[in-house]
Amino acid sequence: MKKKYIALILCAVILLTVIAGGFVFIKNGNALHKGRALISKNGDFIFIDERNSPIVMGKADERMFSGITDGDRVVCLYGMVEESYPGRAGTNFCIKLSDGSIEDINKDTLNQLFELGWTDKK
C-alpha cells in the first residue's frame, strides 16, 4: 500500500513539473509555427509562416536545418520576432514535415525578398 502512495506522489510531482515547465515555456513567448523553408543567397534560413511573412532564423548550415531545402514544409519553435522586414528570430529547433519545392512558396513573398537582395529566386 505504501508503494502505491509513493508511486502516486511521484506521478503527481512529474505531472506538476511538466505543467509548470510548459507554463514558463509559453510565458516566454515561445510557440510552434508551421510554414515553408527558404535558403537565402547568403546562407540564412528563412522561415515563411502561414501568412507568408518571412522570418530569418539563422545560418542554414546549422545542424537543426540540415536536410531542409527550399519549399519544404517545416515546423519551427521560436519566440519574439524583431519588427523588421524580413523579421528575425532565434529558433530552438526546426523539424522538416514534408518535401516541397520553390513553387510552394508564395510568389509575392519571393519577389519582395528578391527585390531586397535576400534571394536570387523569383
Side-chain angles (χ1 to χ4, degrees):
M1 191 66 140
K2 188 176 181 181
K3 289 182 181 181
K4 286 184 182 180
Y5 287 124
I6 292 174
L8 184 63
I9 290 171
L10 183 61
C11 287
V13 168
I14 291 171
L15 181 64
L16 289 174
T17 303
V18 168
I19 290 172
F23 178 74
V24 169
F25 182 76
I26 291 171
K27 184 179 176 195
N28 289 337
N30 293 315
L32 289 171
H33 301 274
K34 290 181 185 176
R36 297 280 175 183
L38 178 67
I39 309 303
S40 74
K41 68 180 180 183
N42 66 352
D44 287 330
F45 177 83
I46 301 174
F47 174 78
I48 300 175
D49 68 13
E50 293 174 329
R51 295 174 295 164
N52 297 314
S53 297
I55 303 164
V56 178
M57 294 290 181
K59 291 292 178 192
D61 60 353
E62 291 181 22
R63 191 175 58 159
M64 76 178 86
F65 302 125
S66 65
I68 298 175
T69 59
D70 291 339
D72 288 349
R73 184 119 173 100
V74 294
V75 63
C76 291
L77 173 71
Y78 60 88
M80 302 301 222
V81 178
E82 292 178 15
E83 292 186 24
S84 59
Y85 191 86
R88 290 188 174 273
T91 185
N92 297 325
F93 73 87
C94 187
I95 299 172
K96 179 178 175 177
L97 298 176
S98 64
D99 288 330
S101 68
I102 195 74
E103 287 81 28
D104 295 325
I105 298 174
N106 181 279
K107 297 298 179 203
D108 290 335
T109 303
L110 275 177
N111 286 334
Q112 290 171 8
L113 291 171
F114 177 79
E115 289 173 5
L116 292 171
W118 279 93
T119 183
D120 53 4
K121 303 159 184 113
K122 258 187 158 178

